[in-house]
Structures are given as C-alpha cells and as structure tokens.
Amino acid sequence: MEKTYTPVKEDFTLLDRQDLYTDKNFASQSYWKGVAIHFFKNRRAVIGLVIVLLIILFAAIGPSLNEFGYRDIVQYRNENNKRVVAKGISPQIPALHKLFTGEEPEGNFGSYTFLFGTDDLGRDLWTRTWYGARVSLLIAFVTIIIDMIIGMSYGLISGYFGGMTDNIMQRVVEVANSVPRLVIVSVLAIFMPKGIWLVIIALLLTEWIGMSKIARAEMLKTKEQEYVLASRTLGARNGHIIFREILPNTIGPIITQVMFSIPTAIFTEAFLSFVGVGIALPMCSVGTLIEDGFNNITTLPYQILPPIIVLALLMLGFNFIGDGLREALAPKLEDM
C-alpha cells in the first residue's frame, strides 16, 4: 500500500509581490474606460470633438463679447458726425469690404468692430451668428434627449414583450414613418405660430423612430441571455429587467445613434427656418441667417458665409464624433 505524502510548510516559498508581472495589455479595465481610450486614439473623432466644443463655447459666450444684442440695429457717427444706421457693412477690414462690395468703406466706424459685418437692417452678424447657433443647438439637444427617452423606451418595451404587443407597436412605427416630415410640419403650421415650439414638436414627432428601431434590435439580441433569464427566474419585474438589467448593456448603440441624430436635427431646423416655417424673426437661428444671406446674396454676399460655415462645421464635427463612438464601442480586432 502506497503512502500518501502530506505537504508541509517548508515545501512552499512565498513569492515577493515585486516579482509579480502583469501584462498591461491584458490588465482589467472597465468597459467605458476602454471606450474612452479607443475614442481618443481616433484623430478624426478628437478633431470633431474639439470643433463641436469650440462652437458650443462661442455660442455660449459669443453674443456677450460685444455690446449689441441679436435684434439691436447698430448706429454710428459718419465722417460728418451724423448718426446713421450701419446697414450692410462688410467685415471691418478695408480690403474685404472692397472685395465684397467693390467700393471703399464709407464713414468712420469709430470704436465699432464688425468681425462678420452687419446685415441689411444694420444688425451685427457676429452676435446674430452665435446667438443663432445657440438656438439651433438648444433645439437639437432638447429634441434629441426627449426623442432618445421616448424611442428607447418604446423600442425596448416592444422587443421585450414580443408577440402581439410587438406587432401592434411596430405597425404604429411604420405608419408614423410613412408620413413625410414636410406634411407634419405643414399641418402643425396651420394650428401653431412659427417659432421654436413648432420646430421642436415637428422633430419630436419624427426623430424618435430611428431610436426605437435600434433599441428594439438590441433588445431582441439581448433578452435571451443568461443574466436576463436569471433575473426573471429570481422574480424580478419586467420594468426592472428592461431598464435596470438590459438597458445598461444596450446603451452604446443608442448613444451612437444620438450623435448621428444631432446633426440631422440641426440640419432639419435650418431647413425649416430656411423655407419660412421655423424660427420667427427677429429671433434668429442658423437657418434664418442662411435665408437672409441667400436673399441678399447678390448685394451683400458676405452675409451667408458665417452661418453656412457654422452649420458645416457642426455637421462635420458631430459626424466625426459619431464615427469615433461607433468604432470605440465595437473596435475592430486590429485596433485592439
């Protein structure tokens, strides 16, 4: 009969902690920390983030950097010491003024500096451009946050319960998606005055559909996983399972959709204001400024440049951020 050996203390050697080696590439880290690392490694995403943050900063503080409000008509004293309205003054650089108008700048602008010039009514375009960007961003963020909550909840509930509930809810989505946006805006314009609320409600009625489809797809992919079945077995309620168990694991694609929906909302607001059913004058947005510049493009062509550049940069910046988030949330094997 063989004897069994009993280990004793002398058989073991205590390994000093400093002799331990941990491969940093495989060190444990949180999911969102990994997303942030991948995002900031993406040069285009960082450029887009910087562009958007700079425009938000100027939209926040730009209108307060001079003494004129967005509706103030600027007056100044000319060379004959007479007070006149600064109508259609191009950016206060003599060479640019001559380039845009073909004429030498008239009068003495005194202490006034019109970096973007003035419009045909004598209002400072610097103030109006950044105030308009503030209005457009406010509309976009408010509508997208509300649409995210509505669409996300709708899609998660539809995908979770499935069956007849899912069929009915998806038929509602198909009907809502089949109605053109311009028809919705036209109907709203009959019953509502032009302004911010008309644009916000028009966006609320249309932008939630894309969110709901993505949330439903993520729910269908996730609801049969083990942790969901374990929660259901332990008696968790449906609301707890949907919003406390499944939602945190599906939020990544929804955030990516939000980043792509913000420029869509900004462009939609600009389009509605451009065609005359958006922001009501004298309040301005990027769309109303583009409309004013387009109407005066033959006489005052410089007016259309600031709002178009701001709109283009916003669209570019948010799309770069969306691309970066999409790649960070689902990185390719060669990027890991």
Side-chain angles (χ1 to χ4, degrees), residues 75-84 107-110 112:
Q75 295 183 351
Y76 68 98
R77 293 188 180 276
N78 64 5
E79 55 188 5
N80 297 321
N81 203 30
K82 292 182 179 180
R83 186 172 292 275
V84 296
N108 178 20
F109 297 143
Y112 298 153

Side-chain angles (χ1 to χ4, degrees), residues 22-29:
T22 302
D23 190 346
K24 294 182 179 180
N25 292 326
F26 295 94
S28 61
Q29 61 184 15

Side-chain angles (χ1 to χ4, degrees), residues 258-323:
V258 167
M259 287 297 106
F260 284 116
S261 297
I262 290 175
T264 302
I266 293 173
F267 183 80
T268 302
E269 181 279 323
F271 170 73
L272 295 178
S273 298
F274 181 80
V275 299
V277 293
I279 305 300
L281 296 174
M283 183 176 285
C284 59
S285 68
V286 173
T288 57
L289 293 174
I290 293 175
E291 180 193 11
D292 289 342
F294 180 77
N295 293 334
N296 299 312
I297 197 168
T298 57
T299 56
L300 303 170
Y302 63 88
Q303 288 190 16
I304 201 172
L305 294 179
I308 278 185
I309 292 173
V310 169
L311 178 62
L313 289 175
L314 280 174
M315 301 287 287
L316 190 68
F318 277 113
N319 277 287
F320 280 176
I321 293 174
D323 287 335

Side-chain angles (χ1 to χ4, degrees), residues 46-212:
V46 174
I47 291 173
L49 181 63
V50 171
I51 290 173
V52 170
L53 290 178
L54 285 176
I55 292 179
I56 292 175
L57 176 64
F58 275 104
I61 68 174
S64 62
L65 293 181
N66 65 21
E67 55 192 285
F68 309 118
Y70 70 92
R71 64 173 70 192
D72 293 342
I73 296 177
V74 182
Q75 295 183 351
Y76 68 98
R77 293 188 180 276
N78 64 5
E79 55 188 5
N80 297 321
N81 203 30
K82 292 182 179 180
R83 186 172 292 275
V84 296
V85 176
K87 293 183 178 180
I89 295 176
S90 63
Q92 194 172 343
I93 302 174
L96 287 180
H97 186 95
K98 189 172 182 178
L99 174 65
F100 283 122
T101 64
E103 301 174 354
E104 297 291 339
E106 298 179 359
N108 178 20
F109 297 143
S111 60
Y112 298 153
T113 299
F114 307 111
L115 293 178
F116 292 169
T118 61
D119 63 8
D120 55 329
L121 296 178
R123 296 172 296 196
D124 183 31
L125 281 177
W126 167 273
T127 302
R128 288 179 64 78
T129 297
W130 296 121
Y131 185 85
R134 179 192 297 179
V135 171
S136 296
L137 286 168
L138 178 64
I139 291 174
F141 281 122
V142 169
T143 55
I144 292 304
I145 289 174
I146 297 176
D147 281 331
M148 181 185 71
I149 295 172
I150 296 173
M152 181 177 62
S153 302
Y154 192 95
L156 290 175
I157 292 172
S158 176
Y160 180 79
F161 289 103
M164 184 61 67
T165 302
D166 185 44
N167 287 332
I168 294 174
M169 295 180 74
Q170 290 310 302
R171 300 298 81 76
V172 173
V173 169
E174 291 174 2
V175 171
N177 197 32
S178 65
V179 181
R181 182 174 294 167
L182 282 179
V183 173
I184 296 175
V185 173
S186 301
V187 173
L188 289 175
I190 297 174
F191 301 100
M192 295 181 62
K194 293 193 302 181
I196 291 179
W197 286 109
L198 188 148
V199 178
I200 289 177
I201 293 177
L203 291 172
L204 287 177
L205 292 176
T206 56
E207 291 297 321
W208 65 274
I209 297 173
M211 302 279 186
S212 70

